Amino acid sequence: MPLARDYVAQVRGFNANARWYLVYTFMSGIGFGIYGLFYNLYVLSLGRTPAFLGFLVALPLVVVTVLAVPAGILGRRVGYRNTLLLGTAVLSLSLIGACAAPSAAGLITFALGFGVVQALLDVSNAPFVAENSRPFERTHLFSVQFAVRLFASFFGALGAGLLPAQLARLLRVGAETPAAYRATLLLSAARARGKGITPAALRAAVTSSARWIDGASAAGQGNGLMSVPGAW
């Protein structure tokens, strides 16, 4: 057990920035777990082809390749903490934008935005950890962060499997409709920002911000037309 005691002692010695970074890692890991599971289903539910979905999935990788060096330069100039915060903000905007603008042009635009997110986060993570750890605890912080991220992604994907059906019941829509997936991705964006939003709170936000459906009678309005920016 000496090894276990050593790890516990090192974790207790992490500074405040390192501890908050682990919290951020856990929350964003849940968000990425939900996103990774449902974004593809959401795109297909809009009637897009698998070929178009493959293009959307590949597009961020091209952006990361192009922006990796500029993102590193930005991190050195403004600080890696600020770069991580910027990446998290762009992540939320990209998820919200993909839900609010389901056209082909909108999905491509926000896939590019997600590539920017990946570049900012991937390039800044390791330097931030190095800046906020002493040499003798750096290996411990890297390993704990990696374990937390994997666990959070697993937990997010596992729990997310139940979300569309639950949100569909709350919103009174089909479980495999774009509305149910939009609500799930909104919840994912909130989790990635560290906001503790429950499905019930999300339902209240969606229903209270819904818009009138043109051409539908009062009886046929249901919950109205979902307004993604308004719900956010």
Side-chain angles (χ1 to χ4, degrees):
M1 300 299 291
L3 182 60
R5 284 196 297 268
D6 175 62
Y7 256 84
V8 172
Q10 294 295 344
V11 170
R12 287 177 176 174
F14 291 164
N15 65 29
N17 278 343
R19 292 182 181 182
W20 278 113
Y21 178 69
L22 292 177
V23 174
Y24 153 80
T25 298
F26 182 77
M27 297 302 295
S28 63
I30 291 177
F32 276 113
I34 298 173
Y35 167 85
L37 183 61
F38 286 111
Y39 180 74
N40 295 348
L41 296 175
Y42 166 65
V43 172
L44 293 177
S45 75
L46 296 173
R48 305 297 173 187
T49 64
F52 181 74
L53 174 59
F55 173 71
L56 290 181
V57 172
L59 195 56
L61 302 178
V62 177
V63 177
V64 172
T65 303
V66 173
L67 294 185
V69 173
I73 296 172
L74 177 66
R76 291 192 63 181
R77 295 212 171 191
V78 305
Y80 294 110
R81 177 179 179 274
N82 292 331
T83 307
L84 288 172
L85 292 174
L86 175 62
T88 304
V90 176
L91 169 63
S92 298
L93 291 175
S94 296
L95 287 174
I96 295 168
C99 296
S103 65
L107 292 172
I108 291 172
T109 298
F110 293 108
L112 291 172
F114 190 69
V116 174
V117 169
Q118 287 184 291
L120 293 173
L121 298 184
D122 291 350
V123 170
S124 301
N125 275 319
F128 180 83
V129 170
E131 282 184 349
N132 289 277
S133 59
R134 292 165 290 186
F136 62 86
E137 66 184 10
R138 193 159 296 151
T139 300
H140 298 78
L141 181 54
F142 270 111
S143 60
V144 171
Q145 184 266 342
F146 183 73
V148 168
R149 179 165 59 85
L150 287 182
F151 175 76
S153 297
F154 165 78
F155 181 76
L158 185 65
L162 305 174
L163 281 177
Q166 291 187 3
L167 293 175
R169 284 195 294 270
L170 287 172
L171 299 176
R172 298 174 185 173
V173 297
E176 296 183 0
T177 60
Y181 291 134
R182 284 192 187 105
T184 303
L185 291 174
L186 274 176
L187 191 60
S188 168
R191 292 294 185 185
R193 289 290 300 274
K195 298 179 182 293
I197 298 178
T198 64
L202 179 62
R203 177 185 183 276
V206 169
T207 55
S208 63
S209 62
R211 301 195 303 267
W212 187 268
I213 302 175
D214 294 334
S217 65
Q221 288 294 321
N223 288 324
L225 183 64
M226 180 188 292
S227 170
V228 173
W232 180 254

